[in-house]
Amino acid sequence: MVVKGGRVVLEDDVKLLDIGIRNGVIVELSENIDKGAGESVIDASGLTVMPGMIDIHVHFDEPNRADWEGFQNGSRLMAAGGITTYFDMPLNGNPPTTSVATLIEKQALADCNSYVDYALWGGLVPGNLDELEGMAEQGAIGFKAFMSSAGSEFGRVDEMTLYRGMEKIAKLNKVLALHAESEPIIKELTREKCSNGRVSVRDYDESRPPLAEMEAVSRALLYAEETGCALHFVHISHPKTVELIERAKQSGSNVTLETCPHYLLFTDDDFERIGPSAKCAPPLRNDQAKEQLWEKLKSGEIDMISSDHSPCPAFMKFNNPNNMFEVWGGISGGQFSLEAMVTEAHMNRNMPLQQLARYLSTNPAKRFGLYPRKGAISCGFDSDLVLLDMNLERTVEKEELLSKHPHSLYEGHTLKCAVQMTLNRGKVVYDRKHGIQEECCGQNLR
């Protein structure tokens, strides 16, 4: 295959190039590859070609909750959004992925139902320390723990489970991903609010203040310093927390962090305007925090961007919309993460595409051992490509939503670009004109 005439986003530049692909791998990058060199030619003239996004934080809810999303439907919307690799979290399936047996069960479900490549997180919960080594050997990409209640069957770690888990994970040379919010702070503030009948958007926001995120991160960093465990903090929402993590990096800690598009695009005012579709944990912050997060991203203090795609049936969002504490706390938005970030970071804020590609693709691949196979457009890499039309502005309509339950805070949001085609290992898995093109042949990146 030859992808001809695209504006190709490389690791350090953007150039008009042809891309030669053989057996799913990029074998040539040059200004002109003879059309006869390929069995098929994709005309990318007028389009921008980026490495496919690696979204390390999604919830497809299997096993036994495929009616929420499922691997097949979830990977379909990933492909439509230019995501060529995703990491599925160990919740909200039932049972959660906290043992070798449950990891094997989930792998069997994903193996024949994913349109793009994937990896699976294992979980760290009370009582499963003896399962960690087996899950690592079975191919878990890393481990995930909650320092606050997960609101599901997935147990919150107590202090000794967290510390002992870090000791074990360090010896396994794996990364521990943490949902870092302080349970005591959240629990007491929630009790105060609900006991007084204060259950609005603003009340929910105030029950999970930046302090709760900062306190939990500080505690986890201390444990990591003592154990030598590599940490990754998920969905960081506030610039002060980024500063805490940056100081730890500068002192030698092996730590990375992600933020999510919704923290960079939306605020607490938007939450009040949009309602339940915009509820997440941690909650959306104010405009000042949002703008300061952008400064942290531009300076490189934020390592990567992930969607935290967390869908649910509509009744869990909208049956009790006047009590925000009763609303499911997850944002369904993975389909639009890449387009939204290209729109806002590059087209609205002038961030170079090669810098944005580091946050969406290269840095996730490097952190989790997929580089130099994944994460960049370069010879020897998998041909995981997304072809973008940068001149197709649209407003997201409900009819465009591919989640099983079509509700999203992106509905009504303006995007200035659109995915035209997605290739995973050289196969066209999505075409904007015709939809999904391939069978489910995504690979497990063990």
Side-chain angles (χ1 to χ4, degrees), residues 74-84 115-116 419 421-422 429-430 436:
S75 64
R76 179 175 73 117
L77 70 84
M78 294 277 115
I83 295 156
T84 52
Y115 286 106
V116 296
V419 172
M421 187 176 290
T422 303
V429 291
Y430 172 80
I436 288 290

Side-chain angles (χ1 to χ4, degrees), residues 218-238:
S218 298
R219 187 159 27 100
L221 288 171
L222 175 62
Y223 292 0
E225 184 179 351
E226 290 297 310
T227 62
C229 183
L231 293 185
H232 176 74
F233 289 104
V234 299
H235 51 50
I236 293 299
S237 67
H238 200 274

Side-chain angles (χ1 to χ4, degrees), residues 76-112:
R76 179 175 73 117
L77 70 84
M78 294 277 115
I83 295 156
T84 52
T85 298
Y86 63 86
F87 296 1
D88 186 66
M89 284 292 175
L91 67 162
N92 298 302
N94 185 20
T97 314
T98 56
S99 67
V100 175
T102 54
L103 179 61
I104 291 171
E105 179 183 7
K106 182 180 275 191
Q107 286 172 339
L109 291 167
D111 277 344
C112 54

